[in-house]
Amino acid sequence: MPAWIATDVALRRMESAVERFRDAERALQEGMAALAAIPPEDPRRHLAQAWLAPLVQTSREVEAVLDSMNQVGVQ
């Protein structure tokens, strides 16, 4: 496979991954807004926090990767 085709395929995959990440970020923001509406004394708040925890962790990990890519000059 010529290099330009492999590059085109890789860029399309990256574009798809970025769109999925943006969707996940929007979902996380909506979830955080919903969580804010649940009173702290409501026991269901803990369940909601547990549902959001993996999204928060993944978001932090992706941000860390992007930060390190920016530090080495990948754009």
Side-chain angles (χ1 to χ4, degrees):
M1 174 185 307
W4 68 272
I5 292 175
T7 300
D8 189 52
V9 169
L11 289 173
R12 288 175 192 259
R13 287 181 182 163
M14 180 62 72
E15 182 179 9
S16 177
V18 167
E19 285 302 315
R20 288 192 312 271
F21 177 71
R22 287 183 181 147
D23 291 343
E25 282 291 309
R26 280 189 289 275
L28 177 58
Q29 291 172 359
E30 290 171 8
M32 295 300 284
L35 178 64
I38 300 172
E41 65 277 0
D42 189 326
R44 294 172 292 180
R45 185 178 178 94
H46 297 291
L47 177 62
Q49 289 171 321
W51 284 346
L52 287 175
L55 284 175
V56 170
Q57 182 61 36
T58 299
S59 178
R60 288 179 183 155
E61 290 170 359
V62 169
E63 290 297 327
V65 168
L66 292 175
D67 287 345
S68 64
M69 288 173 65
N70 285 332
Q71 289 176 0
V72 296
V74 176
Q75 302 197 16

